[in-house]
Amino acid sequence: MFDDVRIPSEYSLGYLHRGKKIRVSILKFDSTYSRAEKGTDPVEVYIFSPKRKKQGSVMILQGLGSQNVLYLIWMAHYLSRKGIEAILPVLPGNFTRVAEGSVSGKDYFSSDLDRMSRFWEHAVVDLLSLVELLKAKKMLHEKNCLFGYCLGGMIAVLLNALSGDFKKTVIMMAGGDFATLFWKSPTLSFVRRELRSGKGKEHGMTEENAFFDLYRKDLEKLSGFSSVQEMLSSDIHPLLKIDPLAYAKFVDPSRIVMMEAMFDRALPKSTREILWKHLGKPKRIKVPSSHVSWLPFQMLVARYIVRLVKEQSVKN
């Protein structure tokens, strides 16, 4: 997996808006991922740049679906007005990059593990290729941060295991243990309908308790892997190979901050707790909100991100 990462050979970059304090641009390039679904190309990245000298950069990763993107655009505006360049990629399968015949966000969780794995791999390849392009064009500031909400937070774990380019990462409303998410998350009821109809039987996922037992046995194997590639080459369950839990061991906990919603019903508490433990118990901030009710107040999170960026030493 992730063998398609490379600097895009061509790209376009043009202004969408020029204001008194910020400029908004859109960066586009053909995905380097070789198995991209029709409708998911090209890669689209919105860049919010301060007109004055930028003091850092933040990459913002969206959650499932499209609605949260509008809130994150507001966050990007705020960050750029504070001197932080905000880079907001659209993840494949979401917003303007929905696969033909699908709906925004649906393909990241499915009983069809081949399709599901392709979308996770596609997202990671696009983002790592974007980072390589930003570095080549000297657009990734030395003081930087990665922020991921929900799906974006889970993908942020994979990125940190595969890349050391992000100085700090804020993971918000994210969890691990996909077996539990499949069978317990209220938002994944459509996956359970697929499993109950017999889909996923070839991977032992249709019987809840038997699936939990199978997944738990493979979770115990994670501590024995010395590299991501060794883990990916192993015989552990294919769903676990895209689960943030499998990558957490290879992430520096000093670079991670977890923000957890105290009243999150979308992610069972056990999935948030297990990810925190597998990440090495990094700094954790509990937020008095639900999974989505923090969005109208995302300026508070943005202020924290500004502080994280400005406190960094360029020698880090």
Side-chain angles (χ1 to χ4, degrees):
M1 293 178 71
F2 316 120
D3 296 328
D4 292 332
V5 177
R6 61 181 180 275
I7 300 175
S9 57
E10 295 181 353
Y11 69 92
S12 65
L13 179 63
Y15 288 121
L16 292 176
H17 171 73
R18 296 189 188 192
K20 291 183 178 180
K21 294 184 178 181
I22 69 170
R23 293 171 297 187
V24 183
S25 308
I26 184 167
L27 170 68
K28 291 187 178 184
F29 58 86
D30 290 337
S31 175
T32 61
Y33 184 55
S34 60
R35 301 177 71 197
E37 289 281 331
K38 188 175 182 180
T40 60
D41 247 347
V43 179
E44 295 182 353
V45 185
Y46 296 93
I47 302 175
F48 300 77
S49 306
K51 277 195 170 180
R52 54 192 168 97
K53 183 180 179 181
K54 67 178 181 180
Q55 302 177 51
S57 62
V58 175
M59 185 177 290
I60 301 172
L61 304 184
Q62 66 179 95
L64 282 171
S66 299
Q67 188 173 359
N68 65 96
V69 176
L70 302 178
Y71 287 100
L72 297 179
I73 286 174
W74 294 349
M75 177 188 282
H77 269 283
Y78 175 87
L79 290 167
S80 59
R81 290 197 300 271
K82 294 297 181 180
I84 309 295
E85 185 168 67
I87 301 162
L88 178 57
V90 177
L91 299 179
N94 286 283
F95 199 42
T96 56
R97 300 184 62 196
V98 178
E100 192 172 276
S102 188
V103 296
S104 186
K106 186 177 184 292
D107 293 306
Y108 282 89
F109 292 96
S110 172
S111 60
D112 183 345
L113 293 194
D114 178 65
R115 184 176 178 86
M116 178 178 168
S117 296
R118 278 188 281 128
F119 274 86
W120 281 80
E121 184 181 11
H122 187 178
V124 172
V125 167
D126 279 358
L127 293 170
L128 291 177
S129 294
L130 171 61
V131 169
E132 292 305 311
L133 177 60
L134 294 174
K135 289 193 298 183
K137 300 300 178 182
K138 301 189 184 301
M139 294 172 66
L140 187 68
H141 200 279
E142 290 177 296
K143 294 184 178 182
N144 64 66
C145 180
L146 177 64
F147 171 78
Y149 162 61
C150 184
L151 167 69
M154 298 179 193
I155 290 175
V157 176
L158 277 63
L159 291 179
N160 271 271
L162 296 164
S163 169
D165 289 307
F166 297 105
K167 302 296 177 63
K168 286 287 184 179
T169 294
V170 178
I171 298 170
M172 190 164 194
M173 303 354 176
D177 185 0
F178 283 174
T180 296
L181 285 175
F182 268 28
W183 279 100
K184 301 297 183 183
S185 172
T187 60
L188 297 184
S189 58
F190 69 95
V191 177
R192 287 191 287 280
R193 287 195 294 271
E194 294 175 356
L195 297 177
R196 290 180 178 126
S197 72
K199 295 179 181 179
K201 187 174 182 179
E202 69 275 19
H203 297 299
M205 300 191 298
T206 55
E207 297 294 333
E208 182 178 349
N209 292 332
F211 183 33
F212 283 162
D213 290 341
L214 176 64
Y215 211 73
R216 292 292 174 272
K217 288 179 181 178
D218 282 354
L219 278 174
E220 294 174 0
K221 298 178 183 179
L222 295 179
S223 60
F225 300 128
S226 58
S227 69
V228 171
Q229 288 306 316
E230 183 182 1
M231 179 272 293
L232 291 174
S233 300
S234 72
D235 62 352
I236 61 172
H237 197 281
L239 184 61
L240 188 52
K241 292 183 180 182
I242 51 175
D243 192 319
L245 296 184
Y247 296 81
K249 174 185 176 179
F250 309 105
V251 175
D252 181 353
S254 69
R255 296 191 176 200
I256 304 295
V257 177
M258 282 193 72
M259 289 189 173
E260 179 182 347
M262 295 169 64
F263 311 113
D264 193 338
R265 294 185 60 203
L267 296 171
K269 185 176 181 180
S270 67
T271 66
R272 294 174 263 141
E273 188 73 15
I274 194 172
L275 178 59
W276 177 67
K277 289 179 178 177
H278 276 247
L279 282 168
K281 298 184 178 180
K283 181 175 181 179
R284 179 165 58 171
I285 300 171
K286 295 196 174 184
V287 182
S289 77
S290 69
H291 191 77
V292 298
S293 63
W294 72 277
L295 283 166
F297 308 99
Q298 96 285 146
M299 297 312 174
L300 298 175
V301 179
R303 288 174 190 159
Y304 180 73
I305 292 172
V306 170
R307 196 181 86 192
L308 280 181
V309 172
K310 291 186 175 181
E311 286 178 349
Q312 291 177 29
S313 165
V314 295
K315 295 180 181 179
N316 279 353

